[in-house]
Amino acid sequence: MGKHDLGSVAEEWFDRYLSERGYSAAITGDPDQKNPDRLVTAPDGRQVVYEVKSFATLGILKKARFGEGSGGIRVSQPMPRTQKEALQPIRDKIKEAAKQLKRYKKDGLPLMMTLANPMNCPIPFEESSVIAAMYGDIDAVFEITGPGAEHEGAFWLQAGRNGKLTSDHHYISAIALLRERPHSAAWAKAWFGENRPRFDQIQDMIAAYLEAAETQNVPQGSEVFLSVIETIGEEAVPLPRDLLDGPLDLRYGPTLDGAGFTLLSDGGQGLLTESG
């Protein structure tokens, strides 16, 4: 799948998302430009300027290298990429979309971008990775206590360098992840939840699952949903929390103390309950 195909898939997902929720979208500016932006209108008339980007990531591991040496074929061991390397494709798309949206910053509308990963390339494409791309690589900080201390030193995570929105593009209101999930995923989750206690061997459980998938009425089709991450941009027009809030959509926002991000709503997926 080429870059053009990836972009088409992302656009199709987003068009479907809007249509299913009663939103409309019109191309803004010159429709012949390379990457046209969109003006999205909600059923109640409120509007958001939107840009959709898709990409294929580099992956978590660097590829092994093969070569000939005096003793025969030499193979280098695959090595993990740095956070900067792994997140660079996301940061590149944030930068591209932000430049396109900049011309609308004086219009008084929320400016939002959506990122899609249609190939599902092997990167932790979760909200934490995108937040790291937005505000800095995640650093682990350890507090070292002196000899004889009664308690171990504290440990916490914090944003470090390379954040694409840390010093730039403060007019962006939110960044969203656009995902597709087959209806069969919910069926599979329910099946394993109900049947897992019956099996002692995992291979027996997998065999039973495959048989059930062939003989039972497994739901077909898929659904698309968003994970919306609000920004902390000083110049941003806030994205109202009752916009782009579909039945499966997730919403993340800054904590009250501004020290991090927290899940605000889980679209009925049970994440708030599971995480306590």
Side-chain angles (χ1 to χ4, degrees):
M1 185 180 294
K3 291 182 178 180
H4 177 73
D5 297 323
L6 290 177
S8 297
V9 170
E11 296 284 354
E12 291 170 3
W13 284 0
F14 188 56
D15 287 341
R16 178 180 158 198
Y17 174 92
L18 295 175
S19 176
E20 290 176 351
R21 289 154 183 80
Y23 289 76
S24 62
I27 293 178
T28 62
D30 182 1
D32 295 325
Q33 63 183 347
K34 182 178 180 181
N35 295 300
D37 312 295
R38 297 182 178 194
L39 180 65
V40 174
T41 303
D44 62 6
R46 287 178 293 173
Q47 295 181 314
V48 180
V49 180
Y50 223 99
E51 174 59 29
V52 181
K53 294 291 186 185
S54 63
F55 60 91
T57 69
L58 299 173
I60 300 174
L61 297 176
K62 298 179 181 179
K63 294 181 179 179
R65 295 182 179 179
F66 298 84
E68 294 186 6
S70 57
I73 300 297
R74 301 175 63 181
V75 182
S76 66
Q77 180 179 358
M79 298 295 292
R81 297 183 187 276
T82 65
Q83 283 190 70
K84 181 179 180 181
E85 292 172 327
L87 297 177
Q88 194 59 50
I90 301 175
R91 290 179 172 137
D92 288 344
K93 295 302 180 180
I94 291 175
K95 182 179 179 180
E96 289 179 20
K99 286 184 175 180
Q100 289 176 236
L101 293 170
K102 185 176 182 180
R103 56 185 163 217
Y104 305 102
K105 62 184 294 187
K106 295 182 180 179
D107 291 355
L109 295 174
L111 306 181
M112 185 172 175
M113 65 181 74
T114 284
L115 306 176
N117 183 14
M119 293 285 287
N120 292 317
C121 294
I123 187 174
F125 191 61
E126 301 296 333
E127 290 77 2
S128 57
S129 296
V130 177
I131 292 172
M134 293 164 64
Y135 292 112
D137 299 339
I138 302 301
D139 292 337
V141 182
F142 299 86
E143 184 179 57
I144 300 176
T145 59
E150 295 182 2
H151 303 285
E152 296 183 358
F155 163 78
W156 66 93
L157 300 175
Q158 67 181 27
R161 303 177 62 182
N162 304 314
K164 189 51 62 180
L165 298 185
T166 302
S167 301
D168 299 313
H169 316 305
H170 290 172
Y171 47 87
I172 299 300
S173 305
I175 293 179
L177 314 183
L178 177 61
R179 295 190 177 104
E180 181 187 42
R181 184 171 69 180
H183 292 307
S184 58
W187 176 88
K189 181 179 180 181
W191 188 93
F192 281 110
E194 179 181 352
N195 292 280
R196 185 178 288 108
R198 297 196 296 117
F199 299 95
D200 295 325
Q201 301 295 324
I202 188 170
Q203 58 267 30
D204 295 334
M205 181 175 65
I206 296 300
Y209 166 76
L210 294 176
E211 180 180 357
E214 291 182 355
T215 58
Q216 296 184 18
N217 186 23
V218 180
Q220 302 299 306
S222 63
E223 51 204 348
V224 287
F225 65 98
L226 294 175
S227 291
V228 179
I229 304 171
E230 299 174 0
T231 69
I232 54 176
E234 300 171 355
E235 306 170 35
V237 176
L239 179 71
R241 290 181 176 173
D242 60 344
L243 281 183
L244 300 167
D245 63 340
L248 289 176
D249 292 349
L250 309 179
R251 185 81 174 224
Y252 292 79
T255 56
L256 293 177
D257 60 5
F261 286 81
T262 187
L263 181 62
L264 302 173
S265 61
D266 66 355
Q269 296 193 40
L271 301 180
L272 286 169
T273 302
E274 292 174 9
S275 61

